[in-house]
């Protein structure tokens, strides 16, 4: 399957991926309205790597693991792998117990701000096209690539 | 090949799922005592609180069973296993044959003998959806509820009933709540928070006698009581295995392939003794993820793919009244050689504790700090030497940036999990 891969050398740490992630998952689909009126958690974590002289960054989304620990920990059956291999969360079923957060080895599942449910990357499957973070990364630090190709 | 699975929860269902992924033709039957389709038992408190619709509770959609040709027999109690004839007699007067059998019989509530318990007409346990439904029927705005047990089950019952009844008292013999999970400090922070929601605690005491309308405590105190919930703890449900002369210690004993002492009989989940990789002892780890993984492992082995179970360790994610606890491993070490790092912010009600031994992280507890806890869990799980990490985890918030670039790339680009 295709996943989003981060290239540290290109990442500026600008956080635009987060902005576009939130907007893509908003009702308004408008950056400003999303920011001002819709309390949406981005499904991305931008990490900072401190070296003695430099600071680099990379953006991390759900890895859509082949053997996902979050699904095994989920007490409600809200977390599942769909037919395309995307790990998804049924919001209505999720009780926000955060068992998924407890076991995700990437720390890629977040508690959402809107409800008690968790928020995670769905590869923008419902919006169509490439994920918003990939489309809007100004320096090609995020790429949608096939798993096999990457290996 | 005929596969028979006794128990329709995390271990049973995921065993069936795994079997079907390997053996496309074999007959798979799951037997369940419950009248309901499979649901996550921890959800019953959300149901009782009125926060969760019963229709959402189904763990798997109907297509899951039909698509995999898994036959589920509900309201059916397995009564006797004949391991020679390889068949199981059930309460529906049917006898089911098997080539491979899984015991996923789970836990049963432990109700200690208490003087006068039979005099009270509203005594409940809190493990099954039926228990929640029974409680739902009898509670009123005036009910005086006494919950015996300040563990996860008792506290979840208390949370579910808060605001729905007149008063709630929680009693525990231990000096703190969730004594098996929490250290003193974490427990006291949680207790204070829960008390703000009008729930009273009576700790270091127990119920010595029950009357028709109240309880007498071992410290001499008395409490009025219309509804008594016994949430002292759970025990592995091993009676079926015991009658079939399957080896039992504290729980059903299995080898690392989840097979019991009897050939072709496997066991998984809460009814089993699991290897705790941190203490290297066999323990009852009645935890959802553990049951899932053991069920899956048993399924692979039952279908002929030799797969060892890698062991487990304690872990919990649970919330009470908006306070969120995430913990794993050893968080209240009793022996020497452990170093504990604690950060506590009283105003924000946040708490972080890391427990380190021999340069390895062996446990953590996080209150209201649900950020990326799984990275700690993975550091425990992978037995990573802390000196190999990019920074001192006791001094900074955790991130994937804690790993060296090589490890990070491997995880992100080439890892099995990724």
């Amino acid at each position: 399957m295709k996943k989003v891969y981060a290239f540290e050398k290109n990442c500026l740490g600008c956080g635009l991926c987060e902005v576009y992630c939130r907007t893509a998952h908003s009702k308004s689909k408008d950056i400003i309205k999303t920011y001002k009126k819709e309390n949406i958690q981005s499904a991305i974590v931008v990490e900072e790597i401190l070296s003695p002289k430099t600071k680099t960054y990379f953006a991390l989304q759900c890895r859509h693991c082949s053997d996902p620990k979050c699904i095994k920990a989920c007490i409600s059956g809200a977390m599942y792998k769909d037919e395309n291999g995307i790990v998804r969360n049924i919001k209505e079923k999720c009780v926000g117990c955060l068992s998924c957060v407890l076991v995700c080895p990437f720390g890629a599942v977040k508690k959402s701000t809107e409800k008690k449910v968790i928020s995670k990357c769905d590869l923008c499957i419902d919006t169509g096209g490439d994920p918003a973070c990939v489309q809007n990364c100004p320096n090609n630090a995020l790429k949608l690539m096939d798993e096999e190709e990457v290996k | 090949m005929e596969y028979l699975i006794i128990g329709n929860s995390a271990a049973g269902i995921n065993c069936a799922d795994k079997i079907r992924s390997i053996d496309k033709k074999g007959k798979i039957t799951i037997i369940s005592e419950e009248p309901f389709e499979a649901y996550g038992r921890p959800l019953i408190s959300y149901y009782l609180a009125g926060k969760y619709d019963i229709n959402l509770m189904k763990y798997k959609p109907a297509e899951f069973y039909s698509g995999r040709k898994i036959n589920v027999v509900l309201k059916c109690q397995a009564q006797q296993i004949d391991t020679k004839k390889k068949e199981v007699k059930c309460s529906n007067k049917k006898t089911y044959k098997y080539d491979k059998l899984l015991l996923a019989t789970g836990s049963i509530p432990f109700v200690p003998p208490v003087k006068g318990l039979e005099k009270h007409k509203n005594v409940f346990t809190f493990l099954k959806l039926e228990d929640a439904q029974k409680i739902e029927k009898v509670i009123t705005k005036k009910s005086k509820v006494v919950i015996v047990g300040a563990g996860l089950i008792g506290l979840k019952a208390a949370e579910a009933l808060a605001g729905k009844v007149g008063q709630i008292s929680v009693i525990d013999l231990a000096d703190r709540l969730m004594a098996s999970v929490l250290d003193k400090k974490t427990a006291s922070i949680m207790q204070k928070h829960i008390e703000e929601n009008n729930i009273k605690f009576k700790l270091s005491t127990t119920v010595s006698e029950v009357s028709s309308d109240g309880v007498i405590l071992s410290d001499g105190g008395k409490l009025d009581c219309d509804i008594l919930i016994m949430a002292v703890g759970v025990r592995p449900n091993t009676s079926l295995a015991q009658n079939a002369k399957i080896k039992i210690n504290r729980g059903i004993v299995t080898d690392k392939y989840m097979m019991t002492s009897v050939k072709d009989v496997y066991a998984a989940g809460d009814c089993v003794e699991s290897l705790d990789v941190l203490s290297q002892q066999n323990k009852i780890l009645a935890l959802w993820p553990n049951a899932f993984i053991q069920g899956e492992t048993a399924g692979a082995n039952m279908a002929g793919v030799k797969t060892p179970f890698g062991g487990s360790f304690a872990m919990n994610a649970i919330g009470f009244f908006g306070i969120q606890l995430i913990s794993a491993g050893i968080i209240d070490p009793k022996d020497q050689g452990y170093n504990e790092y604690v950060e506590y912010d009283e105003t924000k009600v946040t708490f972080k504790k890391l427990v380190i031994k021999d340069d390895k992280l062996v446990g953590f507890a996080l209150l209201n700090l649900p950020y990326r806890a799984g990275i700690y869990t993975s550091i425990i799980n992978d037995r990573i030497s802390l000196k190999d990490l990019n920074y001192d985890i006791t001094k900074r918030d955790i991130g994937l940036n804690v790993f060296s670039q090589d490890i990070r790339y491997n995880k992100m680009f080439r890892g099995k999990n990724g």
Side-chain angles (χ1 to χ4, degrees):
Chain A
M1 70 173 290
K2 284 190 170 179
K3 295 179 191 179
V4 178
Y5 290 92
F7 293 84
E8 289 179 17
K9 278 184 193 151
N10 295 359
C11 183
L12 312 171
C14 66
L16 274 176
C17 49
E18 292 205 79
V19 172
Y20 282 96
C21 177
R22 278 195 287 267
T23 309
H25 294 90
S26 70
K27 285 199 184 95
S28 64
K29 310 287 176 202
D30 178 275
I31 291 185
I32 310 295
K33 282 182 189 150
T34 303
Y35 180 79
K36 285 190 170 167
K37 292 190 179 149
E38 296 184 53
N39 193 10
I40 292 174
Q41 171 89 281
S42 94
I44 302 174
V45 184
V46 177
E47 291 213 35
E48 192 180 79
I49 300 139
L50 292 171
S51 311
K53 283 184 184 166
T54 57
K55 224 191 228 182
T56 52
Y57 303 88
F58 70 98
L60 172 84
Q61 305 84 346
C62 169
R63 306 315 302 149
H64 304 283
C65 300
S66 56
D67 193 22
K69 289 187 158 74
C70 56
I71 295 179
K72 299 184 187 195
C74 180
I75 60 169
S76 68
M79 202 74 98
Y80 72 104
K81 209 170 184 35
D82 76 7
E83 61 282 6
N84 301 314
I86 301 175
V87 176
R88 307 192 67 178
N89 180 263
I90 306 167
K91 282 194 175 180
E92 297 71 35
K93 275 177 81 78
C94 176
V95 292
C97 70
L98 307 190
S99 295
C100 45
V101 174
L102 162 68
V103 298
C104 174
F106 295 96
V109 190
K110 294 201 236 176
K111 186 180 173 184
S112 89
T113 44
E114 35 165 358
K115 282 184 195 170
K116 282 184 182 174
V117 298
I118 62 92
S119 124
K120 66 175 285 305
C121 166
D122 57 5
L123 290 174
C124 291
I125 190 79
D126 295 328
T127 53
D130 283 358
C133 56
V134 173
Q135 283 191 41
N136 294 288
C137 178
N139 203 30
N140 282 329
L142 291 170
K143 290 178 191 162
L144 187 69
M145 294 167 75
D146 195 82
E147 229 175 329
E148 297 309 313
E149 190 186 327
V150 169
K151 278 176 189 167
Chain B
M1 189 69 99
E2 286 193 38
Y3 302 94
L4 185 63
I5 295 166
I6 303 173
N8 187 29
S9 192
I13 292 168
N14 292 299
C15 173
D17 192 16
K18 190 69 186 183
I19 291 172
R20 185 53 85 220
S21 72
I22 300 165
D23 182 343
K24 307 287 180 205
K25 286 187 186 148
K27 188 179 167 196
I28 305 174
T29 307
I30 300 178
I31 290 172
S32 172
E33 279 178 37
E34 294 244 12
F36 306 101
E37 280 181 51
Y39 59 91
R41 289 234 172 112
L43 297 177
I44 64 168
S45 67
Y46 298 89
Y47 166 79
L48 183 58
K51 288 182 195 161
Y52 208 70
D53 189 277
I54 198 159
N55 296 313
L56 284 173
M57 288 188 77
K58 279 183 193 137
Y59 179 56
K60 293 283 187 193
E63 317 85 86
F64 174 84
Y65 299 97
S66 56
R68 287 165 179 75
K69 291 201 170 62
I70 296 167
N71 180 33
V72 183
V73 186
L74 299 178
K75 291 189 215 169
C76 174
Q77 188 182 32
Q79 291 175 323
Q80 205 182 359
I81 307 169
D82 187 328
T83 55
K84 289 213 177 76
K85 284 189 191 161
K86 295 179 102 171
E87 58 185 36
V88 178
K89 268 190 198 154
C90 293
S91 59
N92 61 359
K93 306 234 163 61
K94 283 188 183 167
T95 300
Y96 294 86
K97 289 203 160 292
Y98 68 82
D99 296 305
K100 305 277 177 185
L101 174 68
L102 178 77
L103 302 175
T105 46
S107 298
I108 44 169
F110 170 65
V111 180
V114 182
K115 195 178 164 193
L117 195 60
E118 71 289 347
K119 288 180 191 158
H120 202 292
K121 66 176 197 305
N122 284 325
V123 181
F124 304 97
T125 53
F126 195 58
L127 202 66
K128 295 182 181 183
L129 183 52
E130 277 176 303
D131 299 329
Q133 288 181 325
K134 284 180 200 161
I135 295 168
E136 192 181 27
K137 276 194 189 124
V138 298
I139 53 168
T140 69
K141 276 276 174 199
K142 289 181 182 167
S143 297
K144 290 168 181 148
V145 180
V146 172
I147 298 170
V148 184
L152 293 172
I153 295 175
L155 292 177
K156 270 309 210 190
E159 183 189 34
L161 292 171
K164 289 181 172 294
V165 296
Q167 86 184 34
I168 301 172
S169 312
V170 182
I171 299 164
D172 203 292
L173 192 55
D175 62 352
R176 70 189 97 157
L177 42 95
M178 289 198 280
S180 64
V181 179
L182 297 182
D183 64 337
K184 270 198 162 172
K185 182 73 191 171
T186 327
S188 76
I189 300 168
M190 282 209 108
Q191 180 178 341
K192 206 175 136 205
H193 181 75
I194 296 172
E195 279 169 342
E196 284 167 11
N197 293 278
N198 224 359
I199 289 166
K200 292 189 173 64
F201 286 96
K202 303 266 177 195
L203 299 174
S204 305
T205 185
T206 186
V207 173
S208 56
E209 197 175 338
V210 178
S211 66
S212 61
D213 58 357
V215 297
I216 298 167
L217 305 179
S218 58
D219 64 8
K222 282 182 187 174
L223 291 169
D224 290 341
C225 172
D226 308 318
I227 291 164
L228 180 60
I229 299 177
M230 299 300 282
V232 176
V234 293
R235 294 282 176 273
N237 184 7
T238 57
S239 55
L240 195 63
Q242 196 154 19
N243 293 337
K245 306 239 164 12
I246 289 164
K247 193 178 171 195
I248 288 157
N249 194 6
R250 270 183 288 183
I252 300 173
V253 176
T254 70
D255 63 15
K256 65 180 171 182
Y257 303 105
M258 304 316 297
M259 194 163 85
T260 67
S261 59
V262 174
K263 194 172 174 282
D264 295 331
V265 180
Y266 294 75
D270 293 8
C271 61
V272 162
E273 261 187 18
S274 317
L275 174 68
D276 178 342
V277 291
L278 297 177
S279 66
Q280 286 296 318
Q281 287 170 344
N282 285 324
K283 284 184 179 167
I284 307 295
L285 291 168
L287 307 162
W288 186 276
N290 192 44
F292 187 123
I293 295 166
Q294 287 187 340
E296 199 179 40
T297 307
N301 289 302
M302 288 162 76
V305 178
K306 274 260 178 194
T307 309
F309 173 64
S312 187
F313 52 89
M315 54 176 81
N316 279 289
I318 196 158
F320 298 105
F321 303 102
I323 200 170
Q324 182 69 42
L325 169 73
I326 299 183
S327 67
I330 301 162
I331 63 167
D332 192 18
K334 304 275 189 279
D335 308 322
Q336 290 199 330
Y338 293 88
N339 288 312
E340 300 180 23
Y341 297 86
V342 176
E343 276 170 40
Y344 173 42
D345 186 326
E346 196 159 0
T347 48
K348 288 189 198 152
V349 198
T350 60
F351 177 82
K352 171 164 118 178
K353 178 176 184 174
L354 303 179
V355 182
I356 292 167
K357 189 188 185 191
D358 301 333
D359 196 41
K360 303 259 167 69
L361 182 67
V362 295
F364 69 88
L366 304 167
L367 268 187
N368 283 340
L369 292 169
Y371 312 110
R372 319 197 75 191
I375 299 175
Y376 291 124
T377 309
S378 77
I379 292 172
I380 298 177
N381 189 58
D382 300 343
R383 321 292 295 135
I384 289 168
S385 275
L386 301 182
K387 65 174 178 348
D388 295 336
L389 295 174
N390 269 353
Y391 51 80
D392 182 348
I393 59 166
T394 64
K395 301 219 164 76
R396 270 183 69 176
D397 289 342
I398 198 77
L400 272 194
N401 52 11
V402 79
F403 299 111
S404 70
Q405 196 176 48
D406 280 357
I407 295 175
R408 215 161 55 228
Y409 278 12
N410 263 323
K411 281 179 186 286
M412 299 266 292
F413 287 84
R414 281 180 288 275
K416 194 183 115 205
N417 273 329

